Structures are given as C-alpha cells and as structure tokens.
Amino acid sequence: MSSSRSSRASGRATLQDVAREAGVSPITASRALRGTRGVHAELVRRTQAAAQKLGYVPDPAARALASSRSTQVAVLVPLLSNTLFVEVLDAVQRTLLPAGFQTLIGVTHYDVAEEEQLLRGFLPHRPAGLLVTGFDRTETARRLIHDSGVPTVHLMEVTSAPGIHSVGLSQAAAGRALTEHLLRSGRRRIAYAAAQLDPRVLQRAEGYRQALRAAGLYDPTLEWLSPAPSSIELGGVLLEQELARHPDVDAVFFCNDDLAQGALLKALQLGVAVPSRLAVAGFNDLPGSAQMLPPLTSVRTRRREMGLAAAEMMLALIRGEPLAQASIDLGFELVIRESA
C-alpha cells in the first residue's frame, strides 16, 4: 500500500509496481532489469515488458545506495572527433547496455592532466568499471585507479604486466609491418610523418625505426613530427614542405589516414605521381581511404572488436568471473591498395 501511495504521489512507477505487474518479487525484478545472470529468460521478458508498460525508469543513485554497486561504467577516450574512438565507444555501449550498465564518457584531449581531473570526478562515485585509453598517464592518476579498486580495462594497447587488463594491439609491430611492406616494394628513402604525437603515434614511429635500422636505411632526418592536431589539411602541408626539403624521398608512412588522405590530394595538385614517383601509406584505415585516388594503403585496426572485447572483459571483472587471459592482442591487418 505504501509503495502504491508513493508511486501515485511522485507520478513515477516504482520497482515494486514493476514487480507486481510482472508477477515476480522485487528482488527478481531488480536482478532481471540489471541483466544479472541466473534469472530465467521468461521472468526477464515479463519484467522488461512490465517496466516498459509502466514507463519505469531506475534511479541510479538509489540503486547504487541500495546495492553498494553502481550501474555505470566510466570510459575515458582522447577525442570524439576521431572515428576510431567513436567506433570503440559504440561497441562498448552496445555490449554494456543490454547487461544493465550505462557508459559515462570523459574526453581527455590527449592531456594527462585533464585525464587526472576526470578520474578525480568519476571515481568518488564508485563506478562499476573503468575503461581508459593506453598506459600513458600521471603517477597520481595511476594511484587513483589502483586505490579505487574499480575494475579497469586499458584500450588500444596491450601489456604483459601482471594485474593489468588490456585489449588492443602492438602499435610498434603494426608500424614495423607497414614499413617492411614499403621496403619489400623497393622503397629506400622512407619518411615517417606524424601529428598529435600521442603515445601510440610514437610507438608506430618506433616500429618504423626498427624496420629501417634492420635494413640499414634509417635516416632520422626523414622523421617529420608535428605536435599539431592530425588533419587532412596538415597532411597536404607536410607533404609539400618535406618534398621541398628531401626531394629524394620515395615513400611516406603517415601516422594516421587523415594525414595520408591530405597528402594524396596535395600530390594530385602538385602533379606528383603516386605510387610511381612516391608511395603513400596511412594508418587505421579510416572511412574514405578506399575511395581516394589512388586508393590508400593502410593498417586496419579492429576498433569494433576492441570495444566488444573490452566491454566483455569488463563485465567478467564486475561479475567476478574468471578470465581466460588478462591481455587480448587483436592484431592488425595490412590493407594493400594502389597508393603503396
């Protein structure tokens, strides 16, 4: 009776209302709506139907207080303007939401101080889990994560360090593989052009160096590193500037596809034949790369699979389930097209 009066007074359906409509106990209704395992599928169906009929909206604060568990997973990514991270986030949410968890998104802008500030804001609310990008952060941020006890999964990179959970790829191995492809195609004066200069960009650069050193062809003057944000426009500027400085360059490995796309457009404008005069390659195989003239050679990273695997790992950690492996290397794929 009191719950009915409460729902009428507030104008909102309560969990007790949903349970009564579905013909289940409030505890079963709560577990069914949270996606907890062990609830019979028919009871889940009835409870979800009742919640939809009554327009029931859970109160996250009340749920966390009652259960000492949050239903929110914080996800920290560098940018939302980059298709790479949007695809990862989409896969994460599509995996977590049916399991009863919502995503809280924080954007770090590749700034470790900004990431630390976001962690200070999120962690006191005791999120159910935390997804962070890479391993480059302040010592304070590392301590905040460790001391919080919140299950944490690292995205985009992998590590064999004990106690660390990660899903990603070896950026250095991918950079080395693309450079070795350029070497096999007969290129000898291979430049590396990069922007943003985040840790993963620099790891690709290390792979580039490893391949050229092994071939006895590494020339540090052919590394073009700009701290400016990566963009199509910057790719064209870098190509024009560096061809003027190093006219003997016969290939350029751009750290990201938007730079490489801009370089291809600038090459058309300058009358530089690709690939006969100059090979151009990118990284991440972003939308539009296959439609460039000529189509862009790139490294395809498995972003959606990364988001899915990271979210599934997070769910297992939250539920206390055993993991087959703490680090999942999803690898990469060389996508060879006409530009290189």
Side-chain angles (χ1 to χ4, degrees), residues 18-19 21-24 40-52:
V18 173
E21 178 72 23
V24 300
H40 193 279
E42 173 59 21
L43 298 183
V44 172
R45 185 198 65 76
R46 280 163 39 191
T47 304
Q48 290 176 341
Q52 183 174 7

Side-chain angles (χ1 to χ4, degrees), residues 120-133:
R120 289 185 183 277
F122 283 151
L123 291 176
H125 295 283
R126 299 176 64 187
L130 177 65
L131 288 165
V132 294
T133 304

Side-chain angles (χ1 to χ4, degrees), residues 232-243 254 258-274 278 280 292-294:
I232 289 176
E233 180 181 7
L234 180 60
V237 170
L238 285 175
L239 182 74
E240 187 169 22
Q241 288 179 347
E242 299 310 324
L243 283 180
F254 287 92
D258 56 357
L259 291 174
Q261 290 171 2
L264 287 178
L265 294 172
K266 179 60 68 172
L268 281 174
Q269 182 182 353
L270 297 176
V272 176
V274 178
L278 180 75
V280 175
M292 297 300 295
L293 292 174

